[in-house]
Amino acid sequence: MTKLWTSQTADWPLTATLDMDLEEFERDKARRSAFLNEVQVPILRLLGFVLLAGLTLLHKVFITGPFLWKEFLFFQAIIFGYVAFSWLALFLFYRKVTIISLGLVFLVLDLLFYTLVIYYSGGEKSWLFFVYLARIADQANTTFKRVLFFTHLSAGLYILMLVYLSWIERRPIFWPAELSKAALIYFSSLYIASTSRTAERLRARTQAAMQMSKDLIRQLREKSVQLEEEKIKAEAATQAKGEFLANMSHEIRTPMNGILGLTELALATELNEEQRELLGLAKKSADALLVIINDILDYSKIEAGKVDLDALPFNVADVIGDSVKTLAQAAHSKKLEFALDLDPALPAQMVGDAARLRQVILNLVGNAIKFTETGEVVLSATLQDQDDRGAYVHFAVRDTGIGIPPQKQEKIFQVFEQADSSTTRQYGGTGLGLAISTRLVHLMGGKLSVESTPGQGSTFHFTVYLGAAPSLPMPAEQLRGLRVLIVDDNTTNLRILEAIAKRWKMETCTAGSGVAALEMLRQAGEARPFQLILLDEQMPGMDGFNVIERARSQPETAEVTIMMLSSADQSSSAKRCRELGVEQYLVKPVRESELQEAVRKALGGEKKTTPRTGAVETAPAGNRMNILVAEDNPINQRLAVSMLQKMGHTVMIAGSGKEALDMQERHAVELIFMDVQMPEMDGLEATRRIRAHEEKSGTHIPIIAMTAHAMSGDRERCIAAGMDDYVAKPISAKMLASAMDRVVELTLSVKASMAKRSN
Ligand code: ADP
């Protein structure tokens, strides 16, 4: 049997139960009826008349007599001639004759032949008048009307036979007895007819139910076709949305690039105060607009299923540390204690999408800082479950902020939902962050949830599954067994630092205040001196500097290595540290790898007391390069040129891919920034040609893509065309510089390995 409908929604559960075809059902019914009339009824008719022939014979011999073979055979010839004729007629014409049912015609004719049998077997003396009841009985399961018709017909035919015998053959008929027989036939038939009523009612009910289910199936089929059409339409709409977004992102990001870059350039020129303020405000608005555009784009990309997660190895602690560091300044400016609590059991290296994980953490920690006025924000990561293939890592972001009312706790995960819309004015935001994070966490195999008490704070939780990666070597032997004193008034920070130090197999002691620290230093004395002190700067009562001054004044601790951890990046503190002979000055929260590096340097005697800044440095004379920028938009051209020139590089411009090809051949270009979309010849094609040419010459020029497209697959397309790296517009000097660092390093290592091979 064929399916009811061929829907593409193969997983729709109803298709399994409605596995039938209405037309097929009707066709099947007609086939069964034809088989009954063409084959089954004629066979039964034949059997019936054979039986009747036997009965007639017995009747003639034993009851009525005289039995004459010739006469008997003559009658049977007539009867079986009729049987053969009816079979042939039904077989040939049953399906063709439609004005009348041939089956019914022969059922009626049967009665005539029954009458003939009764007549032959003795007429009014025959006991075979009961044969009529056989027809009534076999029709009992049809309709009441039909049985009634056969009842009248049977009684009528019997009476007709009696009339014929009496009038034509002039036989003496004892009418009271004969009419009683006719009445017997009639009333017995009526009784059977009445029983057929119940059957008929039941059948009617079944038919009504059948009809109802047929109607339902028909309606379902129509609905499914409709749904299928709507699904196709929706899919087309989603695709159109995706394409629209790709184009929109390009169109909006290109001018945004110009606005942001040019404002930055203008801000770097000489301006009066009012101009500076106005331009500063313009830049702030442009930055905010870019955040919103990126959020909308990101959310739509995820919704359109265009986000593919990377599966690359990364250092978990560093990614977490990096992301919180971005926000540390915001927390410090609000005087919030900002801590990172990493499970010592976390594998150092894992496989996953570091950028997307960072995005979720940034959103949650960003919110925590935004909605907290006093107290602390703690990000913790714990190893939950581990097997050979990977591990579940549980993240929690806890704050002591305004909290979220219970009735809003579910809603905030939806698009554009904010717990309290009046806070928008106070705190800003679009209400997209959590919606994006929820989906990203889902893609990473977890679920984002919140626990919160209004007025006391919130904790956002999520768990992600990260793949296993070859583990990194543990810190050098140099740190093993080292005696370290960790001093911090914040117990969370204290716990984190202690966990890290324990991971490195150091011997740890902790102190919650400056006074306690000095006491511990005194107790340790010369017998078991500490080799390293990790000291918090801001502490109530006695701050870090006081502790250092006192420690330095004692002979047993005068030379101890001290590292200062500060919540605020202040140049005055850094200067004071230098004066006091503090080996390293770090801004919290500190990444594990960074702390390790600093500890090693501090113990090795290397002084680095100024914290790193994000400023883009001018390239040293030896690193200055001849750079070709291929870009068709004049504003973006100017932007890239001035950023690169400020870094000390020499810059040439090409307005199309074709021009870039020409210039690269004629000049000694050392690196190319290549826009992807350009007239005449796009950046991908130009790169392909350059790479094809290089196959022969054996050289490799670093090419970095610049594109306003931010859809998934863009990066892959650039790399596939032969580009070495990729920056998304709007570009910044910092982005250009770090992309250049990456590709130059890569090119050097490629060159080195090529040189090694040729040796
Ligand atoms: P946005 O922060 O841009 O408004 P989000 O989707 O990130 O958008 O957050 C949605 C809403 O959830 C916020 O507007 C705020 O009302 C609530 N919220 C999120 N995080 C916190 C938090 N840590 N404390 C209090 N409220 C929060």
Side-chain angles (χ1 to χ4, degrees):
M1 212 180 267
T2 47
K3 285 252 181 227
L4 177 56
W5 57 85
T6 43
S7 154
Q8 282 172 8
T9 52
D11 50 347
W12 199 31
L14 272 176
T15 47
T17 49
L18 298 178
D19 191 10
M20 68 166 152
D21 189 315
L22 286 183
E23 278 96 57
E24 181 67 19
F25 182 78
E26 294 296 338
R27 274 198 297 276
D28 194 51
K29 201 171 141 194
R31 260 200 302 272
R32 269 186 287 130
S33 159
F35 181 72
L36 180 79
N37 282 286
E38 288 172 1
V39 182
Q40 285 176 318
V41 170
I43 290 178
L44 286 174
R45 178 172 288 122
L46 179 64
L47 290 177
F49 276 109
V50 168
L51 194 70
L52 215 50
L55 280 175
T56 315
L57 191 141
L58 291 175
H59 199 278
K60 249 336 216 179
V61 173
F62 296 109
I63 304 176
T64 46
F67 177 72
L68 300 171
W69 272 110
K70 228 170 141 190
E71 191 190 43
F72 177 74
L73 289 176
F74 174 70
F75 262 102
Q76 295 312 322
I78 294 174
I79 287 170
F80 285 100
Y82 159 72
V83 170
F85 168 76
S86 68
W87 197 334
L88 193 70
L90 281 168
F91 189 73
L92 293 177
F93 302 112
Y94 176 75
R95 294 185 210 208
K96 294 193 183 111
V97 180
T98 47
I99 36 169
I100 188 165
S101 164
L102 263 192
L104 185 64
V105 168
F106 285 109
L107 289 179
V108 171
L109 283 179
D110 285 351
L111 290 185
L112 267 181
F113 283 86
Y114 290 173
T115 315
L116 199 61
V117 169
I118 300 167
Y119 170 73
Y120 167 69
S121 62
E124 80 284 7
K125 292 196 187 78
S126 171
W127 283 98
L128 292 184
F129 64 89
F130 279 109
V131 75
Y132 289 124
L133 292 180
R135 172 57 15 99
I136 304 298
D138 69 35
Q139 292 301 305
N141 66 344
T142 58
T143 59
F144 177 67
K145 247 165 123 181
R146 201 167 180 179
V147 180
L148 213 58
F149 165 71
F150 280 109
T151 303
H152 288 125
L153 192 62
S154 306
L157 281 172
Y158 189 72
I159 291 172
L160 260 179
M161 184 197 72
L162 292 176
V163 170
Y164 171 81
L165 291 175
S166 164
W167 284 5
I168 310 291
E169 292 198 1
R170 297 264 163 214
R171 286 197 210 174
I173 304 283
F174 181 57
W175 282 104
E178 292 311 318
L179 286 179
S180 304
K181 275 198 228 166
L184 188 65
I185 295 169
Y186 184 72
F187 288 111
S188 309
S189 302
L190 266 190
Y191 174 71
I192 298 174
S194 72
T195 61
S196 76
R197 281 215 106 143
T198 320
E200 193 180 354
R201 245 180 261 131
L202 271 176
R203 230 182 3 259
R205 251 182 254 161
T206 317
Q207 255 168 8
M210 281 290 290
Q211 190 55 45
M212 234 158 89
S213 51
K214 274 192 229 164
D215 288 348
L216 268 177
I217 291 171
R218 198 163 286 127
Q219 280 172 18
L220 273 174
R221 178 157 47 173
E222 280 163 18
K223 267 269 167 314
S224 118
V225 169
Q226 213 176 329
L227 276 176
E228 189 61 37
E229 279 167 7
E230 270 162 28
K231 188 179 152 225
I232 292 169
K233 268 192 226 156
E235 276 167 1
T238 312
Q239 188 158 1
K241 194 169 105 183
E243 278 161 22
F244 169 74
L245 280 167
N247 293 331
M248 187 189 82
S249 99
H250 182 257
E251 298 306 326
I252 298 179
R253 277 161 171 264
T254 305
M256 278 303 286
N257 194 24
I259 297 170
L260 275 168
L262 294 176
T263 321
E264 232 171 77
L265 287 180
L267 275 167
T269 59
E270 222 166 90
L271 299 168
N272 68 32
E273 212 159 279
E274 194 188 351
Q275 287 167 333
R276 184 167 299 282
E277 191 192 338
L278 292 178
L279 272 177
L281 287 174
K283 180 160 184 306
K284 232 177 169 180
S285 305
D287 280 336
L289 180 58
L290 191 64
V291 169
I292 296 171
I293 291 171
N294 283 342
D295 271 3
I296 294 176
L297 197 66
D298 215 19
Y299 179 76
S300 317
K301 267 196 303 183
I302 299 172
E303 280 296 271
K306 292 205 179 234
V307 168
D308 303 319
L309 293 188
D310 275 345
L312 296 172
F314 64 92
N315 184 309
V316 186
D318 283 1
V319 164
I320 297 170
D322 266 352
S323 26
V324 291
K325 205 140 191 206
T326 318
L327 294 165
Q329 196 51 45
H332 295 155
S333 63
K334 286 178 92 173
K335 300 229 173 343
L336 296 176
E337 196 57 62
F338 187 15
L340 191 58
D341 187 1
L342 290 187
D343 186 348
L346 269 183
Q349 193 88 343
M350 301 206 78
V351 174
D353 194 324
R356 291 301 186 174
L357 181 62
R358 188 179 296 130
Q359 186 179 353
V360 175
I361 296 173
L362 281 178
N363 173 239
L364 297 183
V365 176
N367 277 348
I369 296 171
K370 190 159 79 168
F371 295 106
T372 305
E373 293 311 321
T374 54
E376 60 177 24
V377 172
V378 183
L379 165 66
S380 63
T382 328
L383 182 70
Q384 219 172 34
D385 213 354
Q386 195 173 19
D387 59 24
D388 294 344
R389 290 182 299 123
Y392 284 98
V393 183
H394 174 257
F395 291 84
V397 179
R398 181 166 59 77
D399 66 50
T400 51
I402 59 171
I404 304 155
Q407 71 276 17
K408 296 280 181 178
Q409 287 176 12
E410 222 171 275
K411 276 198 163 172
I412 52 167
F413 295 104
Q414 293 163 13
V415 196
F416 301 118
E417 280 293 342
Q418 297 183 316
D420 177 1
S421 44
S422 66
T423 57
T424 314
R425 251 170 290 131
Q426 189 183 345
Y427 300 108
T430 54
L432 270 172
L434 287 178
I436 294 174
S437 294
T438 304
R439 280 155 184 82
L440 286 179
V441 169
H442 181 73
L443 285 177
M444 289 190 267
K447 192 171 180 293
L448 182 62
S449 62
V450 68
E451 279 167 8
S452 182
T453 313
Q456 288 184 18
S458 320
T459 306
F460 282 83
H461 298 272
F462 69 95
T463 303
V464 292
Y465 186 78
L466 298 171
S471 55
L472 288 185
M474 281 301 281
E477 274 303 303
Q478 187 190 7
L479 302 186
R480 184 186 285 273
L482 202 81
R483 261 174 71 73
V484 58
L485 175 64
I486 305 165
V487 191
D488 200 321
D489 61 310
N490 181 292
T491 44
T492 317
N493 267 341
L494 212 55
R495 224 160 32 116
I496 298 166
L497 289 172
E498 192 184 9
I500 294 177
K502 282 208 167 124
R503 223 164 105 96
W504 301 342
K505 309 271 186 291
M506 286 177 161
E507 200 187 316
T508 57
C509 283
T510 54
S513 70
V515 178
L518 286 176
E519 178 57 24
M520 289 178 93
L521 285 173
R522 196 186 58 73
Q523 278 177 11
E526 277 179 14
R528 295 201 67 212
F530 286 101
Q531 285 135 313
L532 176 69
I533 302 174
L534 292 181
L535 189 60
D536 182 29
E537 180 188 337
Q538 294 95 349
M539 286 185 290
M542 183 185 287
D543 72 7
F545 291 112
N546 293 138
V547 177
I548 299 171
E549 279 163 1
R550 300 272 187 95
R552 291 283 183 242
S553 66
Q554 300 298 315
E556 65 270 22
T557 49
E559 292 299 313
V560 67
T561 306
I562 301 176
M563 287 175 61
M564 182 78 105
L565 302 173
S566 170
S567 295
D569 180 2
Q570 283 165 354
S571 52
S572 57
S573 302
K575 191 164 161 259
R576 237 179 121 193
C577 280
R578 258 196 306 271
E579 286 161 9
L580 289 167
V582 170
E583 272 73 6
Q584 295 279 321
Y585 174 74
L586 298 167
V587 181
K588 287 194 284 187
V590 189
R591 289 162 56 184
E592 183 180 339
S593 61
E594 196 182 351
L595 186 64
Q596 197 186 110
E597 184 67 18
V599 168
R600 240 189 264 141
K601 280 184 180 162
L603 293 167
E606 207 175 306
K607 310 253 169 175
K608 176 186 167 286
T609 47
T610 37
R612 279 204 293 170
T613 66
V616 180
E617 288 146 24
T618 309
N623 293 348
R624 292 192 181 159
M625 292 173 121
N626 283 332
I627 298 177
L628 174 64
V629 173
E631 162 72 66
D632 61 322
N633 182 309
I635 297 178
N636 286 340
Q637 277 176 1
R638 210 184 131 194
L639 207 58
V641 169
S642 65
M643 283 174 183
L644 292 168
Q645 274 175 345
K646 272 198 183 156
M647 291 181 220
H649 303 292
T650 312
V651 189
M652 285 169 278
I653 289 185
S656 74
K658 197 152 182 302
E659 237 179 278
L661 266 183
D662 289 348
M663 291 179 76
Q664 185 258 339
E665 272 170 26
R666 279 189 282 115
H667 301 277
V669 175
E670 290 167 283
L671 188 141
I672 305 176
F673 277 103
M674 183 83 83
D675 183 20
V676 173
Q677 279 198 333
M678 282 184 289
E680 223 178 328
M681 181 193 292
D682 68 16
L684 298 173
E685 182 55 29
T687 307
R688 271 185 226 115
R689 295 205 185 180
I690 292 173
R691 293 296 180 233
H693 195 254
E694 284 176 350
E695 292 251 303
K696 290 173 216 143
S697 61
T699 52
H700 183 93
I701 185 163
I703 302 179
I704 300 171
M706 287 192 300
T707 163
H709 276 267
M711 299 304 277
S712 82
D714 245 27
R715 188 186 180 89
E716 288 70 22
R717 278 199 298 138
C718 293
I719 303 292
M723 298 188 176
D724 299 285
D725 213 306
Y726 169 104
V727 287
K729 289 176 186 173
I731 52 169
S732 69
K734 213 168 147 190
M735 272 159 68
L736 296 186
S738 56
M740 277 164 68
D741 280 352
R742 286 195 301 266
V743 297
V744 168
E745 208 168 286
L746 189 81
T747 315
L748 286 179
S749 70
V750 170
K751 274 189 187 154
S753 71
M754 277 164 66
K756 219 188 242 172
R757 249 184 285 149
S758 60
N759 281 340

